[in-house]
Amino acid sequence: MPGPKQISEEAMVVSRINQGGEELEETQENCQRDSTKNGVSIKSFLWHGGSVYDAWFSCASNQVAQVLLTLPYSFSQLGMLSGILLQVFYGIMGSWTAYLISLLYVEFRSRKEKENVSFKNHVIQWFEVLDGLLGPYWKAAGLAFNCTFLLFGSVIQLIACASNIYYINDNLDKRTWTYVFGACCATTVFIPSFHNYRIWSFLGLGMTTYTAWYLTIASLVHGQAEGVKHSGPTKMVLYFTGATNILYTFGGHAVTVEIMHAMWKPQKFKYIYLLATLYVFTLTIPSAAAVYWAFGDQLLTHSNAFSLLPHSGWRDTGVILMLIHQFITFGFACTPLYFVWEKVIGMHDTKSICLRALARLPVVIPIWFLAIIFPFFGPINSAVGALLVSFTVYIIPSLAHMLAFRSASARQNAAEKLPSFMPSWTAMYVVNAFIVVWVLVIGFGFGGWASMTNFIKQVDTFGLFAKCYQCKPHALPALPSPAPSARH
């Protein structure tokens, strides 16, 4: 008779074989679907993405959008050295917590698949992972923080679209441009899931790459402005406001679980976010450093880098590309909200794209309305980073991983073992605990204080339903001087 240990080992082997067979069947289904007819091969190539490359493009494209234009402003608050060091620090920290989320997703899915739960017509989301591993209270926390963060992120993208296009065409006010782009972004209801963002992710990354290198080269060609000064850092409030913006920059993985679920083999996600972050460094660090070198303290009153660079076809191209990319980012932020709403109203497993699009419209309309009511995303942006991103992206994943594997049996039977560079579970806990304490004190504590202080100082400039927030008044045409009267 085999012993209990042997039976346990055999059960683990069978489980892994079954899991591998399910992955193989899923991959074969995708391959068969993509190769059914020659007429749809191009559509399949552009539309059905689930490889590691698709996930990499999605992560890299989603990580930087409008924030690319505000990082030079953060450098003016932090100074050159702190700006570069904090980008590297928070980029690595963000990659680590994305890795933790991927481990928790694989653990949750492997447990459910052992119970014969099928996810064929169901997209797993972060709050469901927390619910399955830690219970309903964690589900409520994950749902509240994630949905609020993604809601504000979508609103910010709409306002940023209106702000950017105003640099090219100021014949319409920003509120009118918000109407226009709200209608454009509403078309994202027709994109079923992250599985269908293949071409958009590829184009989006190309757009941010162009814009980043335009900012870098244009600043170097322009040279340092006359009398340029680099005073930062000067005040603690400004310093921690800038640090919070960088914390927000590398906290774009509120959609990590949805991107993983769109993959044919989610187990391969482990290091994708880190590789995406390393590429993003090549965009954010040179562009922010070059613009700050050229304009220095002028950036303290110009949060959008486009506003200081001279008008040219190259700049207008960058503005237009960023507008298109913000449409893509709006879709990234809204799609998880679409999924949540579909599950609430019982439409998530509907196969008709048109029916799902109609069901999703109630999500877009309030976002559109909020962007019109509150057009002042600048002061709110850092507050969202400190109060929401700190928990959603850093604290909750770290705590969840510690609690999910707190027992010896959970660690022993984990679907994913320790990474090769981590010597023990104790070291894993030390790293996670450091992230929790650091972000709680520096990000949420000091960052929240600085962001709210800045918010309160600017509250008098706010105006609900503002027609054109922070717009320069148009110069009135000069009146013709009266003709001199003839003397008799």
Side-chain angles (χ1 to χ4, degrees), residues 30 33-35 37-51 53-54 57 195-200 202 264:
N30 282 281
R33 180 188 58 200
D34 289 350
S35 59
K37 296 180 181 179
N38 293 333
V40 296
S41 59
I42 296 178
K43 177 184 175 182
S44 299
F45 175 73
L46 299 176
W47 186 252
H48 298 297
S51 67
Y53 302 103
D54 292 304
F57 276 114
H195 191 72
N196 310 110
Y197 269 96
R198 166 175 281 184
I199 186 62
W200 291 114
F202 176 78
W264 297 326

Side-chain angles (χ1 to χ4, degrees), residues 96 99-100 103 401 418 422 424-432:
W96 174 256
Y99 172 71
L100 297 180
L103 296 182
H401 188 271
L418 286 175
M422 192 61 63
S424 65
W425 279 96
T426 301
M428 194 94 165
Y429 269 70
V430 169
V431 173
N432 291 343

Side-chain angles (χ1 to χ4, degrees), residues 215-236:
L215 293 174
T216 304
I217 296 171
S219 298
L220 295 176
V221 171
H222 178 278
Q224 289 190 313
E226 185 177 355
V228 64
K229 293 182 180 179
H230 301 87
S231 303
T234 56
K235 298 179 181 178
M236 283 188 64

Side-chain angles (χ1 to χ4, degrees), residues 73-346:
Y73 168 64
S74 298
F75 269 49
S76 69
Q77 297 170 318
L78 294 165
M80 185 76 78
L81 180 61
S82 290
I84 294 173
L85 292 179
L86 283 176
Q87 277 203 46
V88 175
F89 177 69
Y90 282 128
I92 294 174
M93 185 183 290
S95 299
W96 174 256
T97 53
Y99 172 71
L100 297 180
I101 292 173
S102 72
L103 296 182
L104 293 170
Y105 169 86
V106 171
E107 182 68 25
F108 167 78
R109 185 162 182 172
S110 64
R111 291 184 188 182
K112 289 298 180 182
E113 287 179 345
K114 289 175 184 177
E115 300 171 3
N116 296 321
V117 177
S118 174
F119 296 104
K120 188 174 183 180
N121 295 318
H122 183 93
V123 176
I124 300 173
Q125 294 187 267
W126 177 229
F127 68 90
E128 294 170 320
V129 173
L130 293 174
D131 183 30
L133 297 179
L134 298 173
Y137 291 108
W138 281 86
K139 172 186 176 180
L143 191 61
F145 277 106
N146 246 36
C147 287
T148 308
F149 169 43
L150 292 170
L151 175 71
F152 277 103
S154 302
V155 171
I156 287 169
Q157 293 308 317
L158 277 187
I159 302 171
C161 284
S163 176
N164 282 346
I165 193 63
Y166 192 76
Y167 288 115
I168 294 179
N169 187 340
D170 59 0
N171 293 326
L172 298 178
D173 57 78
K174 291 182 180 180
R175 187 171 66 189
T176 303
W177 280 121
T178 305
Y179 293 143
V180 173
F181 282 101
C184 294
C185 290
T187 59
T188 58
V189 298
F190 290 100
I191 303 177
S193 71
F194 285 99
H195 191 72
N196 310 110
Y197 269 96
R198 166 175 281 184
I199 186 62
W200 291 114
S201 298
F202 176 78
L203 293 175
L205 187 58
M207 293 166 187
T208 53
T209 300
Y210 170 89
T211 304
W213 285 107
Y214 158 73
L215 293 174
T216 304
I217 296 171
S219 298
L220 295 176
V221 171
H222 178 278
Q224 289 190 313
E226 185 177 355
V228 64
K229 293 182 180 179
H230 301 87
S231 303
T234 56
K235 298 179 181 178
M236 283 188 64
V237 170
L238 293 178
Y239 187 87
F240 284 106
T241 301
T244 304
N245 189 40
I246 294 182
L247 180 82
Y248 179 76
T249 302
F250 295 97
H253 44 281
V255 296
T256 299
V257 171
E258 289 82 1
I259 292 175
M260 281 189 69
H261 190 83
M263 295 178 66
W264 297 326
K265 293 186 177 181
Q267 289 83 353
K268 292 187 176 182
F269 183 86
K270 298 177 189 176
Y271 305 113
I272 286 177
Y273 199 90
L274 175 61
L275 296 175
T277 300
L278 294 177
Y279 179 79
V280 167
F281 282 156
T282 68
L283 306 181
T284 58
I285 294 177
S287 61
V291 176
Y292 178 55
W293 169 82
F295 298 102
D297 291 352
Q298 292 184 46
L299 287 160
L300 290 170
T301 54
H302 295 78
S303 59
N304 191 319
F306 280 141
S307 63
L308 287 173
L309 292 167
H311 186 279
S312 68
W314 296 102
R315 194 194 74 163
D316 290 352
T317 300
V319 172
I320 293 170
L321 291 179
M322 288 304 292
L323 286 172
I324 301 173
H325 186 267
Q326 280 160 342
F327 161 80
I328 300 169
T329 307
F330 180 91
F332 270 106
C334 256
T335 299
L337 296 177
Y338 295 153
F339 293 154
V340 173
W341 177 246
E342 288 171 356
K343 292 170 184 176
V344 169
I345 64 175

